[in-house]
Amino acid sequence: MTTVTPTTTPTSFTDLYVRIQQFYAGQVRLLDGMRAEEFAATFTDAGRFDHAPGTPPLQGRRAIAEEMRRYQEARYAADPCQRRHWFNMLEVFPGPDGTVSTEYYALVLLTRPNEPVPVAAPSCLVRDVLVDRDGELRVQERTVLPDYAI
């Protein structure tokens, strides 16, 4: 499946909101598909990803890709499940400097073979700072706050 991200400059808040929704829809498919390098490419070159309480934030695409790959292999190698990240309740805050801050809830659902009812994994609050790089949205900074750690 090919993900298409609109590259037109938004002319209204509604256009911006839809563009961000499209961006996140494509990004979570990369994450759920365990496509670490492509997921990391949705961040700026020096993007910051603070996703695990008690560990230092990841800095840069290479570090993000390496950690995502390592985590996915360690966590899911022996657990044949389908993961679905669900981003919802999105708030969008355009900044005067051209950045866009967002806040949304993220819920991870795991479905295992022959188990029709998914299991809810971590529920989180996520805060992003997005930037436009040559017509493409990129995450400049992401902070994931798991509900169990708040």
Side-chain angles (χ1 to χ4, degrees):
M1 170 190 264
T2 302
T3 301
V4 177
T5 303
T7 58
T8 58
T9 303
T11 57
S12 71
F13 182 81
T14 302
D15 292 341
L16 176 64
Y17 194 90
V18 169
R19 184 176 183 217
I20 291 169
Q21 287 277 26
Q22 285 290 106
F23 171 75
Y24 286 142
Q27 190 185 51
V28 297
R29 282 176 174 80
L30 297 172
L31 189 57
D32 291 342
M34 297 190 185
R35 295 158 57 186
E37 283 76 19
E38 291 170 87
F39 172 77
T42 66
F43 286 75
T44 61
D45 290 337
R48 182 177 176 275
F49 187 24
D50 188 359
H51 74 107
T55 64
L58 303 169
Q59 193 75 43
R61 289 178 175 167
R62 182 176 173 182
I64 293 167
E66 288 173 359
E67 175 59 17
M68 292 294 93
R69 189 174 38 261
R70 185 208 61 76
Y71 175 78
Q72 291 168 341
E73 289 170 359
R75 172 65 177 88
Y76 296 105
D79 187 6
C81 66
Q82 176 61 59
R83 290 185 310 155
R84 298 282 189 227
H85 284 75
W86 190 266
F87 290 179
N88 204 355
M89 308 314 290
L90 173 65
E91 290 187 291
V92 173
F93 309 98
D97 60 353
T99 63
V100 179
S101 296
T102 65
E103 286 191 7
Y104 53 93
Y105 297 146
L107 178 64
V108 182
L109 299 173
L110 304 175
T111 303
R112 294 185 172 86
N114 302 313
E115 294 180 20
V117 178
V119 175
S123 171
C124 307
L125 171 65
V126 183
R127 293 184 175 126
D128 282 351
V129 176
L130 304 175
V131 294
D132 186 299
R133 292 290 185 260
D134 300 320
E136 299 283 338
L137 287 175
R138 295 288 178 252
V139 178
Q140 180 175 296
E141 182 176 324
R142 173 168 291 167
T143 303
V144 179
L145 302 163
D147 290 343
Y148 65 81
I150 294 178

